[in-house]
Amino acid sequence: MPNYSFRVNGKTVTVDSWDPDQPLLYVLRNTLGLHGAKFGCGMAQCGACTVLLDGGAARSCVTPIRHAAGRSVTTIEGLGTPENPNAVQAAFIAEQAAQCGYCTNGMIMAAQALLDRNPHPTLEQVKSALEGNLCRCGTHTRILNAVMRAARA
Amino acid sequence: MATISRRAILKGGGAMVVSFAIGRQALAQARAAHTVDSFLAIHQDGSVTIFTSHVDIGTGISTVFRQVAAEELDIPVERFTVIEGDTATTPDHGGTGGSTGVPRGAADIRQAAATARRALLELAARRMNRRASDLTIEAGEIQASDGAAGVSIASLIGGKRFDLAVDPKAPLKQPSEYRIVGQPVLRADVPFKCTGRHVYLQDFSVPGMLHGRVVRPPTLGGELVSYDETAIRAIPDIKVIRIGNFLGVVAADEWAAIRAARELKVVWKDSRDLPGSDDLERYLRESPAADQVVVNRGDASGALSGAPKKFSAAYYWPFQSHASLGPSCAIADVTDAGITVWSASQGAFGLRAHLANVFGVAPENVRVIYMDGSGSYGTNGAEDAAADAVLLSRAARRPVRVQWMRQDEHGWDPKGPVQLLDVRASVDAAGNIAAWETEMWLPGGPPGERALAGPELAGMKQGHGQGAGLMTMNADPPYRAAHVRVVAHNLRETPLRLSNLRAPGKIANVFAVEGFTDELAAAARVDAVEYRRRSLDDPRALAVLDRAASMIGWRARPSPNPDAAQGNFRVGRGIAYLRYKQAENYCALAMEVAVERSTGRITVRRIACAHDCGLIMNPDGLRNQVEGNIMHTLSRALHEEVRFDQSKVISVDWVTYPVLRFPEAPPVEIALINRPDQPPYGAGEAASAPVAAALANAVFDATGIRLRRVPFAAERMKTMLARA
Ligand code: FES
Ligand code: FES
């Protein structure tokens, strides 16, 4: 089986994949046991699977594993832990910005990518950065508050 | 397996709560849910486990459970954890739904905790040689008023059981004594959800598990003619499973299962027996139905036929999908001994009974274990996914995890019903309602167990129940009127399988009732708040109405707005009020909108909501639910409609079934009115019911155009603006 090396949350990993087109999402979840990124649509329509690829937000459900080779992937697990969350995660926790939380991974990763680029976005900029991330529980208000809180921090 | 004991579940905790193997008697006991031990286990380390069949699924209700138990026991809330919806270990006191989590779920747990408290005080009194009435509990320590050495609850009962029936008369704390209930206690799951550490059902696996995917027919009633595995030979370790028209694949690797399901060549015979979604209104009016008189006060028909001035209108709510963000999932392990299923179903006991019936297995040999999944708002595809997993596991003789693909979820989840309402009214000289008639058409044949998608394809015998959850409530106006009649025409057939979807029926009924009330107010040239105020007596109703109006900066005047024009926009405001189920929460919601003339796009600029659900258990959790209700329903009102042709659902992803996105999210201001002297009600639904009406009323105020059909899509709005 061909294998692929890349960095995940700062560590180099090498994984086998029988299919070079296997989306990174399944490699992260099933091979590496990193369940933070979620399957929502598999079609780049919802954002639930968002990770950082070389620092930019990427849809892992449509990123073939061969494209990840040699690159650097950050998942939500790499940002912080429940005891020691990073600034964006801490802001989401402070705002209690989750209901079911199935969208939360995508929201936090998209927000992280935005804030890395633009540390002090306006509310409108946050809304447009999150436009491709869907939430069905209606947690929008809190998510926006959380990102704005992180932007102030 | 099904015979796991509570003790095994509590391993490490050391509690000696009722340790029963699942047998008929124990089952009856668990169902009766009448023992303290069935709800609570206090461990030696002072921690406490709560057992309940009401599940959280992101609502925050489990935090409320911890609060009520902590309050009655005076044990710090951090020491509580909750085990939810496990048919082998939790009592059956109802599933999550119908906003029953607080009035039923929390009330039962509270009563169990109160019974436990009394028993603990008596136990301590004997141990300490004091009278129970001289003892108090502080942070899990029982103390005597004279300062004698106290004793911890953990040392009294830790690891042992109470062997006590829950006493419905055990004294409860007075709300004025509450220290934990009413506080914004934070949810324990949020830090884990925000760091990718919360284990969702979708993340769970069991040893030896295979991944399964169902190959669904391209049409809802398809017939499987043949399939050819040649195209999928190169995919490793897969197995195709066929049961009647049910076709699935299992594989060790998830991606292999997905590709195999996608690439398997299948010949189907299509079905073409659906009415299509384009002209459902006619279908509803013409289909055979059973009539039901829901409300009959005075003589509405007589009063209407004799009235000089009559109004009438038709309101329409389409089929909608839960469209959960994460497609439904389940793991099933079928062995000779029985069935174990891990599911995010909101009703573990209901699902157990359902699976037992469909698969012909005794209920005591079926165990359903709840795990958090992607949010659902009633019944999404969770039950169907469970049945899919059982079908595949039974055939593969291995545990199988099934996660639906996006098209499965949108195309095959059971749907919130379509509803058509004719409303008619006559008014008195002042314009107030004199007579009112609501006539509604909706699918709603006999209730009972619904058909599960997989077993239906597999040709298994099963129920075809069509209950969707108290659909006819709130179809009469909450305003004073001498003559009111509500009639429901319950269609015998339904084109799509039905489900409970957040505030079922109430959401369409309030859209019609409050939209039409607004029409009457406008026709009378009376301000919309004033019009409602003068026909309401209940001070709690008036309080929410006034509060919402003042938050939005309401100025009294009739609609439409004389100063609506703002460049390319027309702006307006609207309000709607309801008392949920005519008996629970009071809620009024006002909003400000701008309608773009060139595009028809409706932008909600602000929302203000006043909400009174009696005693507030957790203001932050409540706010989260109210916000969720509002945003979810804004999405439903603006965008959501399940579209289908003669054969199949054609709105099968986020492009064809659009939903609310962030740029459309308005600021929401919420006023929670606490009524410590009133019973607490659940809040998972009420605030969703006035959203569509308030929005339509605001659009009328802005444009003079009355929206009576959900969704309020820009395209349709644009056409109406051009015609106006
Ligand atoms: S799962 Fe990748 S965008 Fe939806
Ligand atoms: S919190 Fe459930 S989908 Fe966003």
Side-chain angles (χ1 to χ4, degrees), chain A residues 41-98:
Chain A
C41 68
M43 296 178 290
Q45 289 182 354
C46 76
C49 64
T50 306
V51 298
L52 302 184
L53 193 58
D54 291 338
R59 302 288 195 244
S60 67
C61 72
V62 291
T63 305
I65 185 62
R66 64 191 152 78
H67 283 178
R71 301 176 70 179
S72 172
V73 176
T74 305
T75 70
I76 192 167
E77 290 94 337
L79 299 186
T81 63
E83 301 72 35
N84 192 17
N86 89 342
V88 179
Q89 292 170 321
F92 271 69
I93 296 166
E95 295 288 341
Q96 294 278 288

Side-chain angles (χ1 to χ4, degrees), chain A residues 99-103 135-137 139, chain B residues 325:
Chain A
Q99 289 182 58
C100 78
Y102 201 87
C103 68
C135 172
R136 286 297 285 156
C137 298
T139 316
Chain B
L325 189 72

Side-chain angles (χ1 to χ4, degrees), chain A residues 78-128:
Chain A
L79 299 186
T81 63
E83 301 72 35
N84 192 17
N86 89 342
V88 179
Q89 292 170 321
F92 271 69
I93 296 166
E95 295 288 341
Q96 294 278 288
Q99 289 182 58
C100 78
Y102 201 87
C103 68
T104 308
N105 166 72
M107 301 299 173
I108 287 177
M109 299 314 283
Q112 186 67 53
L114 168 70
L115 295 173
D116 286 345
R117 242 182 15 250
N118 174 3
H120 301 293
T122 63
L123 180 62
E124 294 316 306
Q125 288 171 329
V126 173
K127 285 183 175 183
S128 80

